[in-house]
């Protein structure tokens, strides 16, 4: 069984082709949370710069003996349809995919599912209409995700398509967590509420943490921190999302590469009244010119560190603001959860940046969080425990794998349909 995972953005399509394990190997069959066991990547790659004069197609694939090959082509790629055709042609030419009959499903990342979707969903016309309906909530992402679905349906009409939503995992949040304290009609008539994002990643690392704790996810209380260019925290009670730091859009919460995270909404009025800012300027300012970039001029955490090491005061401040906000969320989520089994770091920064992890956890000994300095610095790029012995809260690093999680969820959605 092969499952193709597509992450279709406004000017790119990233893809991965997985070989699913035999049914007896899967977690679904064992009734446990399935691990990465048995899943193999047959091919991966991306089509980028769709719509520009010089697009690019990257493809790497693995043969039966496990040898990895790669190739790269430059070509004008006018549309998502043309991009998908290139991907399919590439997969066929390299032998990674014989024909449509080898595909048991195509899994699609969809950013916003609104309140309509709380689980991976087999795509039909009604589902497409429902995704379209929530597009005003994610005007940049959902149309691109939908493009991917429509093109894949056209090219592979017989293959089941499964939509996996970034918001779905957080649909278990109680009203007390997801409602904003603004007049109720804005929620009831205009869907203004907190939704949360990165759900696929929070779910994936939560399952990995449960395996490390040696108990079912449904018995685990966790705080998961996805720290990449976008960043979010989640409080997970009994395996389900209780709260998360992103809101109606991915702007709320932690400090990110170029997004400000939490900010007093009155700053907006002030900027409009005193500096004459309009909506577009504000959107650009808070989503694309703020965060690390706004504080110190660069949005890549590695560059922030090198600036700070060379004595740059703005970069030092940026690191301080990031860690202050992280610590605040860890404390708040500990209070919400009461008992926390583990704190989990993931995402490019969470997985690789020992200094941020150490700074975010410093001074939390009285809450049961204490890192082992050696483990924290030694864990680079792999799953590991970085807390000291016998602490109340274990601290883990888990490299996330959203594509694998989408493949697994697509596989389980099909199993649920009796396919
Ligand atoms: P995205 O959200 O785009 O998927 P990633 O999860 O890849 O992003 O995370 C990107 C961030 O991770 C960047 O800020 C990058 O600097 C940071 N990062 C990657 N490797 C390291 C590292 N070794 N040390 C510190 N930060 C790192």
């Amino acid at each position: 069984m092969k499952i193709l995972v597509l992450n279709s953005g406004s000017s790119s399509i990233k893809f991965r082709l997985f070989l699913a394990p035999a049914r007896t190997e899967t977690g679904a069959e064992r009734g446990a949370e399935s691990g990465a066991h048995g899943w193999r990547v047959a091919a991966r790659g991306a089509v980028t710069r769709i719509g520009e004069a010089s697009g690019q197609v990257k493809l790497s694939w693995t043969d039966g003996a496990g040898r990895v090959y790669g190739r790269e082509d430059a070509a004008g790629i006018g549309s998502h349809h043309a991009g998908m055709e290139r991907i399919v042609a590439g997969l066929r030419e390299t032998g990674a995919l014989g024909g449509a009959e080898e595909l048991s499903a195509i899994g699609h990342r969809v950013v916003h599912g609104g309140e309509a979707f709380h689980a991976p969903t087999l795509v039909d016309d009604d589902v497409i209409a429902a995704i379209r309906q929530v597009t005003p909530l994610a005007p940049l992402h959902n149309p691109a995700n939908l493009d991917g679905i429509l093109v894949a349906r056209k090219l592979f009409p017989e293959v089941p398509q499964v939509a996996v939503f970034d918001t779905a995992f957080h649909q278990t949040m109680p009203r007390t967590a997801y409602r904003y304290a603004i007049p109720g009609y804005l929620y009831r008539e205009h869907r203004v509420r907190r939704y949360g994002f990165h759900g696929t990643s929070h779910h994936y690392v939560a399952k990995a943490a449960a395996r490390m704790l040696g108990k079912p996810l449904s018995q685990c209380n966790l705080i998961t921190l996805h720290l990449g260019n976008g960043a979010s925290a989640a409080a997970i009670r009994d395996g389900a999302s209780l709260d998360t730091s992103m809101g109606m859009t991915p702007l709320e919460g932690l400090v990110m590469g170029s997004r400000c995270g939490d900010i007093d909404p009155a700053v907006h009025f002030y900027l409009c009244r005193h500096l004459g800012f309009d909506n577009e300027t504000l959107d650009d300012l808070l989503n694309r010119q703020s965060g690390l970039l706004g504080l110190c001029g660069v949005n890549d955490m590695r560059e922030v560190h090198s600036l700070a090491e060379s004595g740059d005061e703005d970069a030092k401040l940026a690191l301080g603001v990031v860690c202050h906000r992280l610590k605040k969320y860890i404390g708040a989520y500990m209070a919400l959860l009461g008992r926390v089994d583990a704190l989990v770091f993931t995402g490019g920064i969470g997985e690789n940046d020992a200094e941020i992890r150490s700074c975010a956890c410093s001074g939390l000994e009285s809450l049961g969080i204490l890192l082992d300095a050696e483990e924290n610095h030694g864990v680079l790029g792999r799953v590991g425990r970085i807390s000291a012995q016998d602490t109340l809260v274990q601290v883990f690093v888990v490299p996330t794998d959203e594509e694998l999680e989408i493949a697994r969820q697509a596989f389980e959605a099909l199993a649920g349909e009796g396919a």
Side-chain angles (χ1 to χ4, degrees):
M1 275 179 101
K2 288 180 182 165
I3 294 188
L4 179 63
V5 172
L6 295 178
N7 182 352
S8 172
S10 56
S11 64
S12 69
I13 307 173
K14 294 185 197 134
F15 67 94
R16 244 198 263 178
L17 181 68
F18 288 94
L19 273 170
R23 284 206 169 236
T24 46
E25 285 179 75
T26 68
E29 282 287 305
R30 289 197 310 269
E33 265 85 38
S34 59
H37 321 295
W39 287 88
R40 287 201 293 120
V41 177
R44 68 170 81 209
V47 176
T48 49
R49 301 206 291 266
I50 294 174
E52 293 177 31
S54 62
Q56 201 179 36
V57 188
K58 272 190 192 168
L59 171 65
S60 72
W61 68 99
T62 310
D63 70 9
R67 284 183 292 261
V68 181
Y69 303 86
R71 74 178 205 196
E72 225 176 291
D73 304 313
I77 299 160
S79 64
H80 281 74
H81 194 276
M84 265 304 287
E85 281 180 337
R86 298 291 299 229
I87 292 172
V88 174
L91 292 173
R92 292 225 165 109
E93 284 157 26
T94 58
L97 184 68
E101 68 288 350
E102 286 183 13
L103 272 183
S104 35
I106 301 182
H108 297 268
R109 176 187 182 218
V110 181
V111 167
H112 216 308
E115 289 186 331
F117 300 103
H118 46 83
T121 304
L122 221 53
V123 174
D124 59 19
D125 291 343
D126 292 343
V127 168
I128 288 178
I131 295 173
R132 228 177 235 130
Q133 261 211 329
V134 294
T135 290
L137 295 171
L140 291 181
H141 292 103
N142 272 29
N145 303 154
L146 258 180
D147 266 351
I149 293 177
L150 296 174
V151 172
R153 264 186 127 196
K154 224 178 247 165
L155 291 177
F156 296 102
E158 307 301 326
V159 178
Q161 316 274 332
V162 181
V164 178
F165 300 88
D166 277 16
T167 46
F169 181 62
H170 300 301
Q171 277 296 301
T172 50
M173 281 196 288
R175 280 188 299 182
T176 45
Y178 73 66
R179 285 289 296 273
Y180 288 118
I182 55 176
Y185 78 91
L186 290 170
Y187 166 61
R188 287 187 293 273
E189 293 165 31
H190 300 283
R191 297 175 290 182
V192 178
R193 52 158 281 183
R194 309 182 63 253
Y195 293 95
F197 299 87
H198 289 147
T200 309
S201 175
H202 287 293
H203 198 180
Y204 176 86
V205 300
K207 287 194 272 192
R211 283 194 297 279
M212 291 164 86
L213 290 165
K215 53 184 181 175
L217 178 59
S218 58
Q219 289 171 22
C220 294
N221 282 8
L222 306 165
I223 297 173
T224 50
L225 300 169
H226 176 107
L227 313 178
N229 280 316
S232 67
I236 297 173
R237 184 167 63 195
D238 300 331
S241 178
L242 170 71
D243 200 358
T244 190
S245 58
M246 285 179 166
M248 185 176 94
T249 78
L251 184 54
E252 193 179 333
L254 300 172
V255 177
M256 312 180 212
S258 66
R259 289 180 224 146
C260 61
D262 293 334
I263 187 168
D264 181 347
V267 169
H268 308 194
F269 322 144
Y270 180 85
L271 295 176
C272 292
R273 287 180 192 134
H274 293 273
L275 298 179
F277 280 26
D278 58 14
N279 281 338
E280 298 316 310
T281 319
L282 269 176
D283 184 340
D284 188 56
L285 177 86
L286 303 178
N287 272 304
R288 286 174 285 281
Q289 307 296 333
S290 297
L292 295 175
L293 182 65
L295 283 164
C296 70
V298 294
N299 69 355
D300 187 298
M301 186 55 95
R302 286 164 292 199
E303 288 182 48
V304 180
H305 281 297
S306 35
L307 278 177
E309 278 154 27
S310 68
D312 185 286
E313 289 303 324
D314 289 341
K316 289 185 201 167
L317 174 67
L319 293 174
V321 176
V322 165
C323 291
H324 182 99
R325 185 92 45 97
L326 270 173
K327 200 185 295 249
K328 211 154 91 168
Y329 269 94
I330 293 171
Y333 285 177
M334 291 191 82
L336 276 180
L337 291 167
R339 185 201 90 236
V340 177
D341 298 300
L343 176 66
V344 187
F345 284 94
T346 192
I349 297 168
E351 291 161 28
N352 297 299
D353 196 329
E355 194 179 326
I356 293 286
R357 291 193 299 254
S358 145
C359 176
C361 293
S362 68
L364 299 184
E365 296 81 1
S366 63
L367 297 178
I369 296 177
L370 180 65
L371 295 191
D372 178 311
E374 208 169 306
E375 294 293 343
N376 184 35
H377 284 89
V379 75
L380 280 181
R382 61 176 173 84
V383 174
R385 197 185 80 160
I386 58 169
S387 43
Q389 292 294 323
D390 303 326
T391 51
L392 206 58
V393 178
Q394 304 212 36
V395 185
F396 300 135
V397 171
V398 178
T400 195
D401 194 336
E402 286 163 284
E403 282 79 11
L404 173 60
E405 183 60 24
I406 291 172
R408 291 202 303 211
Q409 292 198 13
F411 184 82
E412 282 164 26
L414 285 185
E417 293 285 321

